[in-house]
């Protein structure tokens, strides 16, 4: 059975965020907590960093907070009254739409929304796009039944995520025990800047500013992968699941942005500083416009660098530029001059060996299939087949 499609504005109030004046920001807890974008999101509810005394667009409890730029489609629940910045929108379901049903619909179809984003520096969706987004709308009782089923399936998936988090916490402790705080450098490792480790200092890093060159019609159903920010997680994991592809001939034109096995890719916009080590089955691939590629020689293991930046976030150096609360970005100059402790290769390899053993234990059995099963269940639910 298929359900009637209804435009989102017909069943949901949409509150577009607006950036408060910069002079109103504070870290003292004065006014409303500010949700500027996905960088202020937690696992389910926000983890705001700043406050504002000039809030104009506010969420209410139990609203959905939707990221509408860069990492389009990310969601959090509003567990308080928040100031909505320009990187987010509030979604307030009307009487004919169950809030949990809406949550799972967006979670299952965020790529559909993200594909409608526009902009050369970073993608963003407008009020019109969100308002006109069509959602299958069964009767309210059926919505609640579907949401309850997906709740149970999601609980299984979250148990897996909890196991991953516990493993990550353990590895963070191991890392700090082996290498110490990079600021105080208690182990006395020599200091060096990142550009000293590039294979070629003149071409070690590459940005991919070809967003205006690649048109939507140039993407194909299969071919050479184009990695984007969705392929790297906040905890430093690279996901070898491409969503965008180009032809071999187009790849030849853009080979300067190619990615080799072991390269580090880093987000330079939106959630600045997300990074991962590319380990892919694809023979070759390229980076998208909002990524920076870094390629190291034999003196620095990419996994050590990514874990240093992930486990010691905020302790190694500030990667982003731009006024607080506004859209921020990173350039290669900031990255090149990043200074950090440099342990021996043998010690770097020892940590990587420990990490491989821990992560391989999580990947055994059917755990890798849980996300795929949940996604399949979601698609069936919204197609009226559940």
């Amino acid at each position: 059975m298929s359900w009637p499609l209804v435009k989102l504005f017909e069943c949901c109030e949409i509150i577009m965020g607006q950036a408060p004046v910069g002079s109103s920001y504070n870290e003292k807890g004065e006014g409303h907590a500010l949700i500027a974008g996905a960088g202020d999101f937690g696992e389910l509810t926000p983890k705001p960093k700043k406050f504002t005394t000039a809030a104009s667009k506010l969420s209410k409890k139990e609203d959905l907070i939707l990221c509408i730029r860069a990492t389009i489609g990310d969601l959090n629940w509003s567990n308080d009254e928040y100031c909505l910045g320009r990187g987010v929108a509030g979604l307030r379901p009307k009487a004919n739409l169950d809030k949990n049903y809406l949550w799972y619909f967006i979670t299952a179809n965020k790529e559909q929304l993200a594909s409608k984003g526009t902009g050369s520096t970073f993608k963003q969706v407008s009020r019109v796009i969100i308002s006109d987004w069509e959602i299958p709308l069964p009767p309210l009782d059926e919505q609640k039944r579907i949401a309850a089923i997906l709740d149970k399936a999601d609980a299984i998936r979250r148990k897996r995520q909890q196991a991953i988090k516990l493993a990550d916490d353990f590895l963070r402790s191991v890392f700090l025990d082996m290498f110490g705080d990079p600021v105080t450098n208690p182990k006395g490792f020599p200091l060096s800047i990142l550009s000293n480790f590039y294979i070629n200092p003149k071409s070690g890093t590459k940005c991919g500013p070809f967003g205006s060159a690649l048109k939507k019609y140039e993407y194909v159903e299969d071919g050479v992968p184009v990695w984007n920010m969705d392929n790297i997680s906040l905890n430093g994991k690279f996901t070898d699941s491409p969503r965008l592809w180009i032809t071999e001939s187009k790849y030849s034109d853009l080979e300067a942005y190619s990615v080799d096995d072991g390269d580090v890719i880093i987000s330079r916009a939106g959630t600045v500083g997300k990074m991962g080590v590319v380990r892919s089955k694809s023979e070759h691939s390229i980076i998208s416009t909002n990524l920076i590629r870094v390629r190291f020689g034999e003196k620095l293991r990419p996994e050590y660098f990514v874990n240093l930046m992930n486990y010691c976030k905020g302790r190694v150096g500030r990667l982003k530029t731009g006024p607080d609360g506004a859209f921020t970005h990173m350039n290669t100059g900031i990255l090149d001059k990043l200074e950090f402790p440099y342990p021996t290769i043998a010690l770097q390899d020892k940590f990587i060996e420990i990490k491989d053993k821990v992560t391989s234990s999580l990947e055994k059995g059917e755990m890798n299939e849980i996300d795929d099963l949940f996604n399949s269940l979601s698609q069936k639910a919204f197609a009226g087949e559940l």
Side-chain angles (χ1 to χ4, degrees):
M1 179 186 297
S2 60
W3 309 113
L5 294 176
V6 175
K7 291 185 177 181
L8 192 58
F9 79 90
E10 298 180 53
C11 55
C12 184
E13 183 181 350
I14 300 164
I15 305 98
M16 300 299 289
Q18 181 177 334
V21 294
S23 59
S24 72
Y25 296 158
N26 69 89
E27 297 179 359
K28 302 175 183 178
E30 297 176 355
H32 288 85
L34 171 66
I35 312 302
D40 294 314
F41 280 11
E43 183 179 358
L44 290 173
T45 57
K47 293 184 179 294
K49 306 175 187 67
K50 294 188 180 298
F51 293 78
T52 175
T53 55
S56 58
K57 302 293 183 178
L58 296 173
S59 70
K60 293 182 179 180
K61 284 186 177 181
E62 298 193 340
D63 284 356
L64 281 69
I65 303 177
L66 172 70
C67 184
I68 62 171
R69 51 174 21 191
T71 52
I72 297 169
D74 284 2
L75 281 173
N76 258 194
W77 288 108
S78 178
N79 59 337
D80 202 344
E81 192 174 68
Y82 292 105
C83 172
L84 302 175
R86 63 182 177 181
V88 297
L91 302 180
R92 191 170 299 155
K94 297 179 181 178
N96 61 339
L97 177 61
D98 179 74
K99 63 181 186 299
N100 295 307
Y101 178 84
L102 177 60
W103 173 282
Y104 285 120
F105 171 76
I106 294 175
T107 300
N109 296 280
K110 60 183 293 186
E111 291 178 27
Q112 183 187 119
L113 180 64
S115 69
K116 300 178 184 296
T118 59
S120 56
T121 304
F122 59 93
K123 300 295 183 184
Q124 179 170 341
V125 289
S126 66
R127 174 188 287 275
V128 172
I129 290 172
I130 300 169
S131 298
D132 289 345
W133 195 13
E134 293 184 326
I135 177 173
L137 198 69
L140 194 58
D141 287 347
E142 180 66 12
Q143 293 177 41
K144 291 180 177 180
R145 185 186 75 86
I146 290 171
I149 293 172
L150 294 178
D151 267 338
K152 293 177 182 178
D154 195 36
I156 297 172
R157 185 174 65 162
R158 290 190 182 280
K159 286 182 179 178
R160 174 182 180 269
Q161 293 171 339
Q162 289 169 3
I164 292 172
K165 185 180 185 307
L166 286 172
D168 195 56
D169 289 343
F170 167 74
L171 289 170
R172 183 190 303 268
S173 298
V174 171
F175 187 92
L176 292 173
D177 183 64
M178 291 178 66
F179 304 110
D181 186 323
V183 175
T184 59
N185 192 19
K187 309 285 185 179
F189 297 126
L191 299 177
S192 187
I193 60 173
L194 194 63
S195 60
N196 288 338
F197 299 103
Y198 298 155
I199 286 180
N200 181 343
K202 294 183 179 180
S203 61
T205 60
K206 286 285 184 183
C207 300
F210 54 84
S212 59
L214 273 179
K215 308 297 183 184
K216 287 185 179 180
Y217 66 82
E218 294 180 290
Y219 291 113
V220 293
E221 293 297 323
D222 197 8
V224 179
V226 180
W227 307 121
N228 61 22
M229 289 192 289
D230 288 338
N231 294 105
I232 43 179
S233 68
L234 288 172
N235 65 356
K237 180 177 173 58
F238 169 79
T239 303
D240 187 18
S241 299
R243 299 176 181 179
L244 299 171
W245 296 266
I246 54 174
T247 62
E248 290 283 349
S249 60
K250 178 59 67 174
Y251 169 75
S252 298
D253 297 336
L254 300 171
E255 199 167 351
Y257 307 104
S258 65
V259 178
D260 290 342
D261 198 61
D263 284 355
V264 175
I265 56 175
I266 308 171
S267 62
R268 68 183 183 94
T271 307
V272 174
K274 281 203 307 179
M275 63 183 72
V277 182
V278 176
R279 300 294 182 189
S280 175
K281 297 175 184 176
S282 303
E283 184 179 350
H284 42 243
S285 56
I286 64 172
I287 53 173
S288 67
T289 185
N290 284 326
L291 294 181
I292 291 174
R293 182 205 73 196
V294 185
R295 184 172 297 160
F296 300 130
E298 290 298 316
K299 294 181 180 180
L300 182 67
R301 298 289 187 253
E303 286 83 2
Y304 166 75
F305 174 70
V306 167
N307 281 282
L308 172 71
M309 299 303 294
N310 183 43
Y311 294 144
C312 304
K313 199 169 294 182
R315 304 289 291 166
V316 183
R318 183 178 173 88
L319 290 179
K320 59 185 179 182
T321 61
D324 289 339
F327 178 73
T328 57
H329 67 281
M330 174 178 66
N331 59 44
T332 55
I334 294 173
L335 199 62
D336 294 347
K337 296 174 183 177
L338 196 69
E339 186 178 61
F340 58 93
Y342 172 61
T344 64
I345 283 291
L347 199 58
Q348 294 177 44
D349 286 341
K350 184 178 179 181
F351 172 77
I352 293 168
E353 181 182 356
I354 294 171
K355 182 169 184 176
D356 286 345
K357 288 179 179 178
V358 172
T359 54
S360 64
S361 67
L362 289 173
E363 294 171 356
K364 290 180 180 177
E366 299 180 352
M367 296 188 76
N368 285 338
E369 301 175 9
I370 293 176
D371 285 345
D372 289 339
L373 290 171
F374 178 79
N375 292 335
S376 175
L377 187 63
S378 297
Q379 294 302 327
K380 288 181 179 179
F382 298 114
E385 299 172 3
L386 191 58

